[in-house]
């Protein structure tokens, strides 16, 4: 049985595409999960752990006025983080996580408030991703559980976007590479 990270690496490799990750509350856990997969270097460009709010602006290009008005835990911030890391690291796809893992609320947002985002290739033939998609989560559990569920959720979001964009030929290539018919 493969992991979501292994599925991401496999699909990106088959497609000849790359991934970059911007993390806040997950603190590098998404990148760590991806790099546990043998061959991840074929698809993974790198990551930016922008834990401090000003780094979201300085390194990822998140709008400073947006950060000042809404704080770092916001859907639009997640969207801009994903697009920013994609651009900064020259990847086809960008992922982002931002939220409140606890133990205290942040920016007026309760513990468990999380936003995960994906920014993908834009093109006239692409209805999926279309530059960006954000999912708002309300997670329960302790700090570690919230962070790990955020990792699972952002990888699942990317898998849905990749599966939505796959053509029949890519599906056939993927099946052949994995011993299928």
């Amino acid at each position: 049985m493969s992991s979501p990270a292994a599925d991401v690496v496999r699909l990106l490799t088959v497609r000849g595409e790359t991934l970059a990750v911007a993390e806040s509350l997950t603190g590098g856990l998404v990148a760590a999960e991806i790099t546990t997969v043998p061959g991840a270097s074929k698809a993974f460009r790198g990551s930016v752990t922008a834990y401090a709010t000003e780094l979201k602006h300085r390194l990822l290009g998140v709008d400073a006025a947006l950060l000042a008005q809404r704080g770092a835990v916001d859907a639009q911030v997640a969207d801009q983080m994903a697009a920013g890391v994609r651009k900064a690291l020259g990847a086809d796809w960008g992922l982002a996580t931002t939220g409140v893992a606890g133990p205290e609320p942040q920016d007026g947002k309760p513990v468990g408030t999380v936003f995960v985002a994906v920014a993908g290739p834009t093109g006239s033939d692409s209805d999926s991703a279309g530059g960006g998609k954000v999912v708002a989560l309300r997670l329960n559990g302790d700090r570690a559980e919230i962070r790990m569920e955020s990792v699972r959720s952002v990888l699942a979001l990317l898998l849905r976007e990749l599966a939505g964009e796959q053509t029949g030929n890519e599906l056939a290539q993927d099946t052949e590479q994995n011993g299928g018919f």
Side-chain angles (χ1 to χ4, degrees):
M1 187 164 134
S2 67
S3 70
D7 292 340
V8 162
V9 169
R10 179 176 39 80
L11 285 171
L12 289 171
T13 301
V14 164
R15 294 163 63 115
E17 293 178 340
T18 57
L19 173 66
V21 178
E23 300 186 64
S24 187
L25 86 148
T26 50
L29 292 173
V30 177
E33 188 72 14
I34 292 165
T35 58
T36 63
V37 178
S41 62
K42 293 175 186 165
F44 187 61
R45 297 273 304 152
S47 65
V48 174
T49 301
Y51 209 66
T53 299
E54 77 268 7
L55 293 179
K56 290 171 182 63
H57 169 67
R58 195 164 13 133
L59 298 177
L60 300 171
V62 176
D63 183 86
L66 174 67
L67 289 166
Q69 182 182 30
R70 297 194 193 161
V73 181
D74 180 78
Q76 234 181 315
V77 170
D79 186 48
Q80 289 184 18
M81 287 173 64
V85 78
R86 179 177 175 253
K87 181 179 178 184
L89 300 187
D92 297 298
W93 294 89
L95 290 182
T97 63
T98 187
V100 185
E104 300 296 322
Q106 177 187 334
D107 297 333
K109 308 284 187 345
V111 173
T113 303
V114 175
F115 297 94
V116 296
V118 60
T122 56
S124 57
D125 61 343
S126 173
D127 292 332
S128 186
K133 184 170 199 167
V134 181
V135 173
L137 305 170
R138 183 68 180 101
L139 304 176
N140 295 312
D142 63 21
R143 183 175 175 80
E145 290 167 330
I146 290 169
R147 294 174 76 216
M148 288 313 297
E149 186 55 36
S150 299
V151 171
R152 284 189 287 275
S153 296
V154 78
L155 291 174
L157 175 60
L158 178 57
L159 282 172
R160 285 192 303 273
E161 291 301 304
L162 289 170
E165 285 200 343
Q166 264 191 313
T167 65
N169 188 42
E170 288 166 330
L171 287 169
Q173 287 175 1
D174 186 43
T175 301
E176 289 169 13
Q177 286 188 357
N178 288 289
F181 303 100

